[in-house]
Structures are given as structure tokens and as C-alpha cells.
Amino acid sequence: MQITASTVSLTVDDVTASQRFFTTHLGYTEQAAAEGFASLSRDDAAVDIVLLARGTEVLPADQRDRRASGLIIAFTTTGIEDEEQRLRAEGVEITMPLREEPWGERLFQITDPNGVIVQFVEWVTPPVPVDA
């Protein structure tokens, strides 16, 4: 098997709101759209996103009423401080402010209108312990 692309499919209440959020603030472009459906992509390594309206009949019956929850779409990026500032300036609420973890991960999160959490990550070299 050879994987040629990756797509995450999210079931949301308001496809248009999430579509607008991802295209306006995160650089996605619409590849296809219909009532209750949108397919989005970027020209870089970001995962493609398919948005489906909750309750749509194309989903198996046991999945139709589920919402995207409990997941985080994480983008590894550079210039994370600039990205956080840009999003703030655009009026996007930062739902987890920029922080740095002891293992060298810098991250912050935003949340789309349907509750989809998007996390931005930048890896930094952890400090080298100094022997006393």
C-alpha cells in the first residue's frame, strides 16, 4: 500500500461556518462543495479536510448524529508567535494561549465555530542540562 494523501472527515452541525473558518483563517481552499458537504485542501503538507453535515444520509446510520469531538487537528509549523498574533489580529479567539512544554514543544490552540480544536505546534530544542 502507498498512501498518496491524507484527509480527515469531520461531522459538524454547520458546514458553512467551519468551511468559512478554515478558508478565511487557515489558508484552505474549497475543492468541492454541495449541500451539507465541503472538501478543503492546502498546497502544503496539511491534511485535507472534508466537512459533512451531521445527520447526512451519506454516513452510515450509526454515525449520522455524531459530531466531531475529542479530536485535535495539529499543524506543525514555524513562526508560531507570528501565527498566533496574526490569528488574534483577525479576531480568532485563542482558546489555549501559546506555551512551551518541558520536552521542547511550543503550542497554542484555536477552536472553530463547531468546536473543532486546531493546534499549532513548533518544536524547539530542549535546553541541554548543565552538569554541576
Side-chain angles (χ1 to χ4, degrees):
M1 171 177 67
Q2 180 181 5
I3 296 173
T4 59
S6 295
T7 304
V8 62
S9 182
L10 305 172
T11 304
V12 297
D13 287 326
D14 187 342
V15 169
T16 302
S18 284
Q19 178 182 13
R20 188 176 309 118
F21 184 85
F22 280 92
T23 57
T24 300
H25 302 296
L26 301 179
Y28 276 84
T29 58
E30 179 185 297
Q31 299 304 302
E35 181 68 31
F37 164 82
S39 176
L40 311 174
S41 69
R42 286 180 47 108
D43 290 335
D44 57 14
V47 65
D48 292 343
I49 296 174
V50 167
L51 301 165
L52 293 171
R54 189 172 66 87
T56 188
E57 293 186 12
V58 299
L59 292 169
D62 65 336
Q63 296 176 19
R64 288 181 191 155
D65 288 323
R66 294 184 188 172
R67 288 182 183 92
S69 65
L71 70 99
I72 297 172
I73 298 175
F75 297 120
T76 302
T77 187
T78 58
I80 198 164
E81 289 175 5
D82 292 339
E83 194 60 24
E84 183 190 34
Q85 290 173 6
R86 178 189 68 82
L87 289 164
R88 278 187 196 278
E90 291 179 3
V92 175
E93 180 184 358
I94 306 300
T95 50
M96 185 180 78
L98 183 62
R99 68 183 197 203
E100 186 169 328
E101 302 294 354
W103 51 85
E105 179 184 25
R106 298 180 76 210
L107 66 150
F108 74 92
Q109 293 178 348
I110 59 176
T111 304
D112 98 326
N114 284 291
V116 176
I117 299 168
V118 180
Q119 178 170 294
F120 295 85
V121 176
E122 182 176 50
W123 292 94
V124 296
T125 305
V128 177
V130 178
D131 293 339

